[in-house]
C-alpha cells in the first residue's frame, strides 16, 4: 500500500545527498503476431468510428483505449 510513498522518500533522500537517480523500466516484449493483432484491432476501431462520422480526436481516444486494454 505505501510502496509509492516509501520510494518517493528514498528518492528524495538520494537527491538531497546530491546523487542522481535513474530508474530503468524493462520494455514489454511484443511479438510480431501480437503487434499485427493490435494493428488489426486499431484499424477496426478506426474504420467503424469513421463510418459513423466521429471526430478524429474521439477516434484517436478509442483506438488508444482499445490497444491499451488489449495489452494489459
Amino acid at each position: 500500500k505505501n510502496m509509492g510513498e516509501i520510494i518517493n522518500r528514498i528518492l528524495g533522500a538520494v537527491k538531497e545527498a546530491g546523487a542522481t537517480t535513474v530508474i530503468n523500466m524493462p520494455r514489454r516484449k511484443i511479438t510480431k503476431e501480437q503487434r499485427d493483432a493490435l494493428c488489426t484491432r486499431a484499424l477496426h476501431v478506426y474504420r467503424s468510428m469513421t463510418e459513423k462520422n466521429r471526430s478524429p480526436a474521439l477516434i484517436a481516444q478509442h483506438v488508444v483505449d482499445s490497444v491499451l486494454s488489449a495489452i494489459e
Side-chain angles (χ1 to χ4, degrees):
K1 275 185 175 179
N2 300 326
M3 185 61 69
E5 179 63 29
I6 293 168
I7 291 172
N8 282 335
R9 288 184 184 204
I10 291 171
L11 291 174
V14 168
K15 187 175 180 179
E16 278 184 30
T20 303
T21 57
V22 177
I23 300 174
N24 293 320
M25 299 291 291
R27 294 188 61 162
R28 287 181 193 243
K29 301 290 184 197
I30 296 178
T31 66
K32 182 180 181 335
E33 291 78 18
Q34 290 171 321
R35 184 178 184 276
D36 291 345
L38 290 172
C39 289
T40 300
R41 183 178 189 145
L43 183 60
H44 285 298
V45 172
Y46 172 78
R47 185 180 304 139
S48 172
M49 295 191 75
T50 301
E51 290 171 356
K52 296 176 184 174
N53 295 319
R54 303 294 190 230
S55 72
L58 185 62
I59 293 171
Q61 179 184 0
H62 281 267
V63 167
V64 169
D65 289 346
S66 176
V67 169
L68 289 176
S69 69
I71 62 175
E72 289 179 345

